Amino acid sequence: MIVKFFDRLEHADLLIRTENTGTPEDLARRLKISKRSLHEFLQLLKVAGVPVRYSRKRGTYYYN
């Protein structure tokens, strides 16, 4: 389970760094998790101090 978390974290990081996540639904699908799990995942990142945000205009998550 921990390995999957870190695999997802690595994949999410790549997509966020390249600003290629798509919508929350798209990112959840790419990470093979539910939209609710995605929000929990992103909340964990924010609590850890990771400055991740979503731009509706660009349609992607990005690091601030």
Side-chain angles (χ1 to χ4, degrees), residues 33-62:
I33 58 176
S34 69
K35 189 174 171 187
R36 179 178 177 150
S37 292
L38 174 66
H39 287 292
E40 292 171 356
F41 182 80
L42 293 171
Q43 187 60 34
L44 283 173
L45 294 179
K46 290 176 184 179
V47 167
V50 178
V52 64
R53 299 208 185 264
Y54 182 74
S55 171
R56 288 184 184 186
K57 185 176 181 179
R58 296 186 308 215
T60 190
Y61 286 93
Y62 64 98

Side-chain angles (χ1 to χ4, degrees), residues 24-36:
E25 293 83 4
D26 293 337
L27 182 55
R29 189 172 37 256
R30 287 179 173 182
L31 297 177
K32 297 179 182 163
I33 58 176
S34 69
K35 189 174 171 187
R36 179 178 177 150

